[in-house]
Amino acid sequence: ADLGIIKGDLLGFGMMAVTFALTGMSSIYAGRFTERHGLMGAMLWARGIVVALLVLFPLSPWFWLAALIYMLRLTFSGASLGARQAQVVSLVRDERRGLAASVNAASFQVPQSIGPGIAGPMIAAGMFVTPFYVAAVLQAIYVIGYGRVFRRYERAAETSRN
């Protein structure tokens, strides 16, 4: 029976499944990477790679390469979430950890919800590459700012443990 599903839909479903599997595996690997390089190191490396992949994405001349870059970008983005969550909740008292985790999640979800409303009109106006570069610049600013703000807390925690 014809289910009305075209090959492209099946390809998209398969790509999503592979991306989710890679993100899960990268989260597990990120735990090991964090043990070796610290919370900040793991988060900053992963987010830096995400920014680089975001810059490369619109330059891709082929769909398969754009899909691969997108999959890798989501994989590294997901890998950084655990380190970031651990960093944030380690800085607050036990009774505030739920709130800290919620604010942490919102700091990712709110920009993701606003982005399409800004990028959509840009793309409709023919600025196909601009939204990616604007997002890359904003994410780079975030990574640098996060590193500067939270690096001192990681150093203070390390000195208090020693």
Side-chain angles (χ1 to χ4, degrees):
D2 181 16
L3 300 176
I5 298 174
I6 60 172
K7 290 180 184 176
D9 288 339
L10 292 176
L11 176 64
F13 295 142
M15 287 173 40
M16 287 177 60
V18 169
T19 301
F20 290 139
L22 288 172
T23 301
M25 288 186 289
S26 71
S27 295
I28 292 168
Y29 176 74
R32 293 184 188 129
F33 191 82
T34 299
E35 288 174 355
R36 208 175 284 146
H37 301 283
L39 290 172
M40 288 302 299
M43 200 287 293
L44 294 176
W45 268 102
R47 299 305 301 173
I49 291 170
V50 166
V51 171
L53 291 169
L54 189 56
V55 169
L56 292 175
F57 181 74
L59 301 176
S60 175
W62 306 289
F63 172 78
W64 66 266
L65 183 58
L68 179 64
I69 291 170
Y70 184 74
M71 290 168 63
L72 288 172
R73 184 181 167 278
L74 289 178
T75 298
F76 279 101
S77 182
S80 71
L81 293 177
R84 195 173 77 138
Q85 183 86 341
Q87 176 76 30
V88 169
V89 298
S90 73
L91 297 173
V92 297
R93 295 184 306 267
D94 288 346
E95 63 272 8
R96 304 293 264 165
R97 288 192 175 160
L99 175 62
S102 298
V103 170
N104 184 42
S107 74
F108 258 71
Q109 297 303 319
V110 170
Q112 284 181 339
S113 67
I114 295 170
I118 296 168
M122 289 176 149
I123 292 172
M127 297 184 281
F128 298 110
V129 176
T130 306
F132 296 99
Y133 292 147
V134 169
V137 167
L138 292 173
Q139 284 191 20
I141 291 169
Y142 163 79
V143 169
I144 293 166
Y146 190 94
R148 285 190 175 175
V149 169
F150 286 100
R151 178 80 67 191
R152 65 178 154 221
Y153 294 108
E154 184 175 59
R155 286 187 190 128
E158 286 173 3
T159 6
S160 68
R161 279 182 261 161
N162 295 334

